[in-house]
C-alpha cells in the first residue's frame, strides 16, 4: 500500500516567501520519485493566471516538473487519470468555501480522495491546507472568521496564519470553547504539518520561530500544545 501524505502549510511557500524556497523544496522532496510532476491548483483565487505564473517560476527552480490545472480550459475530460499521474498536488490559498464548491461541481473532491489513497502527495497553503481536514477556520466570508466543513481526508480541524493574523488565535480558541470546532491543528506562517498515513508525523518550518500546534478542549478549557517543528534552514 503506498504511503499517504498531506503537507498542510499555515502560510509561506512561493506565494508568501518568494525568496525562501524551504517549504516548497520540502514538499517536492517527499514525492515518490525524483524530478516529480507537481500540479498546482489555483482554484481559490480570482487571479489564477498570475498565481499559476508565480508557481511556474518558483517550481522551475526546484527539481520538479510543474503543471497546473485550469477548470476553465481543462487539459482533458478525464481529470481522474490526469491527476493520478501526478506525484504532488499543490493547492494555493484564497477562498476555501468557493474552492470547495468548485471542486465538488467537477468531482475533484472524490478524485483527491483517490489520489491520496494512491500515494500522490497532497500539499497546500492556507485554503490549500484547510481543505484536507474535516473542518477549518476560514475568512471566506468577508469581515469574520467562521467554521467550514472540508474534505475530511484528515480527521479534525485546521487553522492557518496562526501568528500572522491577529484574530486567528482568539477566534479559534472561542470555536473550541463553544463546541463549534473539533480538536485539531493550527500552523504559523512559515510552518507546515506533515501527516503520514492519517497521522501527524511532525512539523517543519521555513522560519526559525514558526510552529505547528495541537488544540483540544479538556475540562472546559482549550489546551494548546506546541508540536515538534523542525526548522529547515541552518
Amino acid at each position: 500500500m503506498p504511503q499517504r501524505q498531506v503537507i498542510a502549510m499555515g502560510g509561506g511557500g512561493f506565494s508568501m516567501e518568494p525568496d525562501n524556497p524551504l517549504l516548497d523544496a520540502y514538499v517536492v522532496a517527499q514525492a515518490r520519485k525524483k524530478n516529480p510532476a507537481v500540479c498546482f491548483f489555483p482554484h481559490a483565487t480570482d487571479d489564477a493566471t498570475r498565481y499559476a505564473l508565480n508557481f511556474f517560476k518558483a517550481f522551475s527552480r526546484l527539481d520538479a516538473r510543474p503543471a497546473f490545472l485550469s477548470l476553465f480550459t481543462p487539459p482533458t475530460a478525464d481529470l481522474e487519470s490526469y491527476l493520478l499521474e501526478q506525484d504532488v498536488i499543490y493547492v494555493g490559498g484564497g477562498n476555501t468555501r468557493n474552492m470547495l464548491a468548485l471542486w465538488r461541481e467537477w468531482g475533484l473532491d472524490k478524485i483527491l480522495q483517490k489520489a491520496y489513497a494512491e500515494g500522490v502527495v497532497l500539499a497546500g497553503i492556507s485554503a490549500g491546507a484547510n481543505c484536507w481536514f474535516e473542518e477549518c477556520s476560514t475568512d471566506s466570508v468577508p469581515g469574520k472568521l467562521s467554521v467550514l466543513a472540508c474534505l475530511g481526508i484528515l480527521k479534525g480541524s485546521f487553522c492557518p496564519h496562526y501568528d500572522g493574523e491577529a484574530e486567528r488565535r482568539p477566534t479559534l480558541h472561542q470555536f473550541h470553547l463553544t463546541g463549534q470546532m473539533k480538536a485539531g491543528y493550527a500552523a504559523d506562517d512559515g510552518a507546515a504539518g506533515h501527516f503520514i498515513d492519517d497521522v501527524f508525523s511532525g512539523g517543519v518550518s521555513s522560519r526559525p520561530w514558526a510552529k505547528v500546534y495541537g488544540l483540544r478542549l479538556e475540562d472546559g478549557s482549550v489546551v494548546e500544545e506546541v508540536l515538534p517543528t523542525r526548522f529547515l534552514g541552518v
Side-chain angles (χ1 to χ4, degrees):
M1 183 176 180
Q3 188 177 68
R4 298 164 296 157
Q5 299 185 77
V6 171
I7 301 169
M9 294 180 272
F14 72 93
S15 59
M16 289 185 67
E17 299 179 315
D19 298 321
N20 184 350
L22 289 174
L23 283 179
D24 292 338
Y26 181 82
V27 169
V28 169
Q30 308 317 306
R32 51 194 166 188
K33 62 186 178 185
K34 292 183 177 180
N35 193 229
V38 182
C39 186
F40 182 54
F41 282 23
H43 309 140
T45 178
D46 59 0
D47 194 7
T49 301
R50 176 196 58 81
Y51 207 176
L53 178 60
N54 288 339
F55 165 78
F56 272 92
K57 287 179 180 177
F59 277 74
S60 294
R61 295 192 291 264
L62 301 174
D63 182 19
R65 292 177 286 120
F68 88 104
L69 177 65
S70 169
L71 294 178
F72 288 93
T73 54
T76 173
D78 187 0
L79 292 181
E80 179 173 315
S81 294
Y82 176 76
L83 292 174
L84 293 179
E85 291 173 354
Q86 306 299 317
D87 300 300
V88 179
I89 292 172
Y90 187 118
V91 182
N95 190 303
T96 309
R97 181 179 179 180
N98 286 357
M99 179 180 73
L100 290 172
L102 188 61
W103 285 0
R104 288 170 179 136
E105 180 65 26
W106 282 86
L108 290 177
D109 51 339
K110 296 180 176 62
I111 295 172
L112 288 167
Q113 293 272 2
K114 189 168 185 178
Y116 176 66
E118 295 197 9
V120 178
V121 177
L122 305 180
I125 170 180
S126 192
N130 286 340
C131 59
W132 312 122
F133 294 81
E134 291 179 287
E135 57 192 21
C136 72
S137 169
T138 178
D139 59 359
S140 294
V141 177
K144 68 175 183 177
L145 291 166
S146 55
V147 179
L148 179 69
C150 299
L151 296 182
I153 288 174
L154 294 177
K155 298 294 186 184
S157 61
F158 187 79
C159 176
H161 308 302
Y162 205 46
D163 69 338
E165 298 176 3
E167 293 303 313
R168 289 285 182 171
R169 179 177 261 113
T171 303
L172 187 65
H173 280 229
Q174 189 63 24
F175 288 156
H176 283 285
L177 282 171
T178 55
Q180 297 179 68
M181 180 168 270
K182 302 175 186 290
Y185 304 88
D188 292 336
D189 287 342
H194 190 173
F195 298 80
I196 299 177
D197 292 335
D198 304 334
V199 177
F200 178 80
S201 69
V204 293
S205 72
S206 58
R207 309 175 187 181
W209 58 88
K211 301 296 180 186
V212 179
Y213 306 84
L215 289 101
R216 65 185 187 277
L217 192 63
E218 192 172 286
D219 297 328
S221 298
V222 176
V223 177
E224 179 184 292
E225 178 186 4
V226 179
L227 299 177
T229 306
R230 176 171 60 90
F231 175 50
L232 296 170
V234 294

